[in-house]
Amino acid sequence: MQTLKRRLAPAKRRSAAAKRRRRVSRPKISGRRLLIAAVAAFLLISVGRSVLPALGIETPKMPSFGGGGGDTPTAPVTKAPKAPTVDLNGVMVHGGGDPMVTLNPGLVRLGGSVTASGSGFDQGSMVDVFLGPSSSGAQPSKGAAKNAKPVQVGTAKAGKYGIFTVNFSFPTKMTTPVLEVTAQARGSDKVAKAEAAVAQGAGQATLSAIVGKPGDVVNLTVKGFSPGEQLLVYWGRINGDPTLTLKADEDGSVGKTPIKVGVTAVGTTSLVVVGKTSGAAASAPFQVLRLYPSIKLAPYAVKATQSITFSGAGFAPGERVLVRLNSAGGQPVMAVPTDGAGTFKGAGLTMPYQLKGAQSLVFIGEQSRAAASTGFTILPYMPQARTNAYGGLPGTVVNFYATQFAPNEAVHVYAKTSKGAKGELVSAFRVNKAGTARAVGQYTIPGNTENSVIFELRGQLSGSTATVNFKVDSSGGPVDIPTPKPYVLPKDLEK
């Protein structure tokens, strides 16, 4: 036993000496140094993971701690926790931090321009903007493609603070009452959505020209109405009979359709389109020019019972032209319809006996109120007459020849047998349609007549007079000729 203890003693002394040498070679580290080292490591990791990437500075992968070996893969960076949902004024709202996109305008017209503004995306990231059916369940319109996919309408690069702007044009056809705009960052899960509502009850109308006069032809294009509905087209109003009725297609549109400029007030007006079913309305501005109507009349001088003819141009298409004599108001003497070009021709009037001298005809469009006038003259009848002889003795039987009286009028014959005497009705006859009569009427020269008998032939319709001087030769003494009975005017020769 003693021998064993002596053998172990040197070994124990060597072990104790080795422990003393190890304690002497290991440097002492104070607790303050350990604390400073830990804080430095924490700051390095925090800055590398948060601040530098936000400034766009790439950092090498940080080693993971507690791994176990240098070859072990680096653990993924933990995403920042989402902002909490908070109660704001009694409403639960998101605390922020997520991407967002807004539209201006949010209520859009078909074919209109829309601006999409986004925020909350990573600085420098590329953001694609898509337009497609709403995911909120809005039903597509009739004729729209089923399961339609979103269409890319723009791309932008997010700038400072993750903000971007994209402008795009809205579709020209109504596929659904609500469409959805999606902003998707490339290679990222950051996405934002916004809904754009299509304006209902506010269609659009476009004209191929903005200036013209009634009757001109322009092309009309319409969209934004209900599919298949009737469209009532008005000029400068929204009631009464429409100028034209159209039918929308399955997209609520009408392609280029020729339409005549309607009758409306001169100046700035509008073409108005009203959907008969939806009540949607659209208007297009238009400048209406003045009409300059003209009249051609022939002949410019006529006698009573004769006719004048006239033609017109420059009025509104399809309107009635009211014709008045010597007045712009009151009862028209006739109404003449215009054709599709605003013209008329072949109209005429027969002049009555009562009109004398200069006259005017006034032409006014019933709808357009466009006016034109022209003048003409009523000429008097100037008849001529003679007897069957230029003179004779008392007892001579006289009859009459007449021309240029009014057609078919009665002519009354008055005789004056002495100077200053009043004319006495002695005969009557009727001229033919040419105003002519031959060897008509009968009168016997009285026995006491001296020098001459003056005959006045008076037209009863025209009021015209022809005079004949019949010379009476001296008989050399009294002539026994019975005194004629007073002439009795037949009823059929009163006028």
Side-chain angles (χ1 to χ4, degrees):
M1 190 64 158
Q2 293 294 330
T3 303
L4 180 59
K5 288 182 179 181
R6 284 193 299 267
R7 291 179 178 177
L8 291 175
K12 288 182 179 181
R13 286 193 296 267
R14 288 193 300 270
S15 177
K19 287 181 181 181
R20 284 194 300 269
R21 286 195 299 270
R22 283 196 297 269
R23 283 197 298 266
V24 172
S25 62
R26 180 180 302 168
K28 293 184 179 181
I29 301 175
S30 67
R32 182 178 180 181
R33 290 183 179 179
L34 288 175
L35 178 60
I36 292 173
V39 170
F42 174 76
L43 290 176
L44 178 62
I45 295 173
S46 298
V47 171
R49 290 183 177 180
S50 60
V51 178
L52 294 181
L55 297 176
I57 302 174
E58 297 293 335
T59 59
K61 297 297 183 178
M62 297 296 175
S64 59
F65 295 92
D71 297 333
T72 305
T74 302
V77 177
T78 305
K79 293 182 180 179
K82 290 187 176 182
T85 301
V86 298
D87 185 339
L88 179 62
N89 198 28
V91 179
M92 301 304 294
V93 296
H94 195 271
D98 287 346
M100 180 179 65
V101 63
T102 59
L103 305 179
N104 186 21
L107 183 64
V108 299
R109 288 180 179 272
L110 295 177
S113 178
V114 181
T115 299
S117 300
S119 62
F121 291 83
D122 293 334
Q123 179 180 348
S125 63
M126 299 302 294
V127 181
D128 296 319
V129 180
F130 300 88
L131 180 66
S134 173
S135 58
S136 62
Q139 295 298 320
S141 64
K142 182 180 179 181
K146 294 182 178 179
N147 301 322
K149 295 182 178 180
V151 177
Q152 186 171 351
V153 294
T155 299
K157 184 177 182 180
K160 192 175 182 180
Y161 309 118
I163 295 174
F164 74 88
T165 299
V166 168
N167 296 315
F168 64 93
S169 296
F170 216 70
T172 57
K173 295 183 179 180
M174 181 184 293
T175 57
T176 179
V178 178
L179 290 176
E180 189 173 70
V181 174
T182 301
Q184 173 70 61
R186 294 180 184 177
S188 171
D189 61 351
K190 289 194 173 183
V191 63
K193 296 178 180 292
E195 287 188 340
V198 180
Q200 300 293 313
Q204 297 180 60
T206 305
L207 294 172
S208 59
I210 59 173
V211 177
K213 64 181 183 300
D216 289 349
V217 177
V218 295
N219 289 323
L220 170 64
T221 303
V222 177
K223 57 186 177 181
F225 289 84
S226 295
E229 74 170 324
Q230 283 190 325
L231 306 178
L232 309 180
V233 182
Y234 302 90
W235 279 100
R237 55 188 173 85
I238 56 173
N239 53 16
D241 295 330
T243 302
L244 185 68
T245 300
L246 304 174
K247 185 177 181 180
D249 59 19
E250 62 181 12
D251 296 317
S253 304
V254 174
K256 291 183 178 179
T257 301
I259 179 174
K260 287 186 177 181
V261 177
V263 177
T264 185
V266 173
T268 302
T269 186
S270 297
L271 176 137
V272 181
V273 182
V274 180
K276 192 172 182 179
T277 303
S278 66
S283 64
F286 195 84
Q287 185 75 19
V288 180
L289 303 177
R290 282 185 58 186
L291 290 171
Y292 293 92
S294 60
I295 298 294
K296 290 183 178 180
L297 183 146
Y300 284 96
V302 294
K303 296 178 180 179
T305 73
Q306 293 179 343
S307 297
I308 56 174
T309 59
F310 39 81
S311 58
F315 291 92
E319 72 171 338
R320 295 197 316 165
V321 177
L322 306 181
V323 184
R324 295 180 174 90
L325 181 69
N326 300 323
S327 174
Q331 183 70 24
V333 296
M334 68 182 303
V336 185
T338 62
D339 57 19
T343 65
F344 66 87
K345 58 183 178 180
L349 286 170
T350 300
M351 296 298 105
Y353 288 106
Q354 292 81 3
L355 293 179
K356 310 292 183 184
Q359 307 291 326
S360 293
L361 283 175
V362 181
F363 301 80
I364 300 179
E366 188 174 34
Q367 294 178 336
S368 67
R369 308 303 298 171
S373 63
T374 186
F376 65 99
T377 301
I378 302 293
L379 299 175
Y381 280 93
M382 302 180 68
Q384 296 180 3
R386 58 174 293 186
T387 57
N388 56 334
Y390 290 104
L393 294 168
T396 302
V397 177
V398 178
N399 51 29
F400 306 94
Y401 293 77
T403 61
Q404 299 182 35
F405 277 93
N408 301 312
E409 73 173 331
V411 178
H412 296 178
V413 181
Y414 293 84
K416 295 180 181 180
T417 58
S418 61
K419 187 176 181 180
K422 184 179 180 180
E424 180 183 355
L425 181 62
V426 296
S427 183
F429 58 88
R430 188 176 297 279
V431 296
N432 61 19
K433 64 181 181 179
T436 301
R438 298 181 181 89
V440 293
Q442 184 174 310
Y443 177 70
T444 301
I445 303 298
N448 60 350
T449 305
E450 299 177 357
N451 296 324
S452 66
V453 177
I454 298 176
F455 295 102
E456 286 188 357
L457 286 71
R458 301 174 185 174
Q460 296 306 293
L461 293 175
S462 65
S464 57
T465 300
T467 302
V468 179
N469 192 351
F470 184 88
K471 182 174 176 55
V472 180
D473 295 332
S474 176
S475 62
V479 179
D480 188 11
I481 297 175
T483 300
K485 295 180 180 180
Y487 180 75
V488 178
L489 181 67
K491 288 289 185 181
D492 62 338
L493 292 178
E494 289 182 353
K495 291 186 179 180

